[in-house]
Amino acid sequence: MARHFIREWRELRMTQVQLAPLMRMTNANLCQIELGNIGYNQRSLEAAAKALKCYPGDLLREPDVFDVYLAHLPMERRSQIMSAVRALVEMSSDIKAN
């Protein structure tokens, strides 16, 4: 099973006590998943992502500093900001090429 970063993403947004019921599990079960003592499944990964306002794939990578800044934004806003950043990076690449 792939390493996950559910705890790291959760810590950006809420407590275990807040997340567990949103995932329809006990705090103890969430704790065991976060510690890696029991595995996650697709349903729990999707439930965590929905509650944490991120994509399931995000939970399989360590959050970076950009994620910390975006942590409290709605997904639509996050997508808009990411599109703007991509455009700036492309523009920067074009400038360097000339």
Side-chain angles (χ1 to χ4, degrees), residues 26-69:
T26 65
N27 294 350
N29 282 348
L30 176 55
C31 181
Q32 292 303 305
I33 289 173
E34 287 186 354
L35 291 172
N37 294 336
I38 59 174
Y40 64 87
N41 58 34
Q42 188 65 29
R43 185 199 64 78
S44 61
L45 195 67
E46 289 174 3
K50 181 178 179 183
L52 296 171
K53 296 181 173 67
C54 64
Y55 297 105
D58 289 338
L59 299 176
L60 300 178
R61 67 169 182 80
E62 191 167 7
D64 58 31
V65 67
F66 201 63
D67 296 309
V68 172
Y69 288 118

Side-chain angles (χ1 to χ4, degrees), residues 49-95:
K50 181 178 179 183
L52 296 171
K53 296 181 173 67
C54 64
Y55 297 105
D58 289 338
L59 299 176
L60 300 178
R61 67 169 182 80
E62 191 167 7
D64 58 31
V65 67
F66 201 63
D67 296 309
V68 172
Y69 288 118
L70 298 176
H72 301 287
L73 295 177
M75 285 301 288
E76 335 47 88
R77 249 346 241 152
R78 183 178 177 191
S79 295
Q80 291 171 341
I81 290 170
M82 291 303 295
S83 294
V85 168
R86 282 188 204 96
L88 289 170
V89 168
E90 288 173 14
M91 187 171 53
S92 174
S93 297
D94 290 344
I95 291 170

